[in-house]
């Protein structure tokens, strides 16, 4: 079973962030540029929240607010639900299901070291299953 650290080694440790005082419009521009669904909200080196497309849809569009005039801090999700590099993929999936989130920051010693999406976890589970099937086929073939 993959650990978060192993998964980050495979997919990369890069993540994108925005400051809490920046506009929601700017956050949406960054997400569109990088084709991602969420940004970490960082106050200097401190993780203070997460802003996602879901936050935008529910807290800007449905409430008829202006994305250009609304700071990220007003709609970001907080407190932040995160995982550690030593957690395993199944645990991450349990957290996402229970907390109803699609993105998990990875934090080690109080510092962000990566970000996982539900897509990353599903891809890892599929890879694990593929490897197990190959092992069973080799075992059966003898």
């Amino acid at each position: 079973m993959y650990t978060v650290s192993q998964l980050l080694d495979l997919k990369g440790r890069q993540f994108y962030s925005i400051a809490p005082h920046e506009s929601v419009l700017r956050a949406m521009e960054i997400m569109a540029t990088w084709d991602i669904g969420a940004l970490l909200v960082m106050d200097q080196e401190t993780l203070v929240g997460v802003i996602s497309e879901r936050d935008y849809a529910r807290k800007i569009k449905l409430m008829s607010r202006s994305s250009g005039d609304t700071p990220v801090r007003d709609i970001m999700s907080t407190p932040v639900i995160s995982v550690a590099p030593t957690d395993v993929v199944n645990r991450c999936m349990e957290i996402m299901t229970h907390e109803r989130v699609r993105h998990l920051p990875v934090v080690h010693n109080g510092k962000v070291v990566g970000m996982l999406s539900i897509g990353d976890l599903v891809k890892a589970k599929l890879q694990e299953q593929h490897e197990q099937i190959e092992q069973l086929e080799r075992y059966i073939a003898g």
Side-chain angles (χ1 to χ4, degrees):
M1 184 171 305
Y2 287 116
T3 66
V4 168
S5 183
Q6 290 170 321
L7 187 53
L8 289 176
D9 288 343
L10 293 172
K11 75 160 258 187
R13 295 177 181 270
Q14 184 172 10
F15 60 88
Y16 299 93
S17 66
I18 192 164
H21 66 273
E22 291 195 59
S23 73
V24 171
L25 179 61
R26 180 67 186 131
M28 294 300 111
E29 290 170 346
I30 294 169
M31 284 188 241
T33 297
W34 295 106
D35 193 26
I36 55 176
L39 292 172
L40 300 181
V41 182
M42 306 285 291
D43 187 0
Q44 304 294 332
E45 296 288 316
T46 304
L47 177 62
V48 295
V50 175
I51 182 170
S52 68
E53 293 168 330
R54 180 185 279 182
D55 292 319
Y56 174 77
R58 292 182 179 179
K59 299 173 186 171
I60 293 290
K61 277 305 209 191
L62 289 178
M63 299 175 126
S64 299
R65 297 174 76 174
S66 167
S67 58
D69 296 334
T70 304
V72 167
R73 78 173 137 273
D74 286 0
I75 71 160
M76 68 184 183
S77 296
T78 188
V80 179
I81 299 160
S82 64
V83 294
T86 54
D87 284 319
V88 294
V89 169
N90 284 354
R91 177 70 181 131
C92 294
M93 292 181 97
E94 289 170 4
I95 292 168
M96 284 185 170
T97 301
H98 183 262
E99 299 295 334
R100 297 183 176 264
V101 296
R102 297 176 183 167
H103 300 88
L104 287 173
V106 182
V107 178
H108 180 66
N109 292 331
K111 187 170 185 142
V112 176
V113 296
M115 173 86 133
L116 295 176
S117 70
I118 188 69
D120 297 328
L121 298 176
V122 169
K123 186 176 176 181
K125 287 299 292 179
L126 290 172
Q127 181 61 36
E128 285 178 358
Q129 288 176 348
H130 178 73
E131 290 169 4
Q132 288 174 342
I133 290 169
E134 282 184 343
Q135 288 174 355
L136 288 171
E137 287 174 343
R138 283 192 302 273
Y139 175 76
I140 291 169

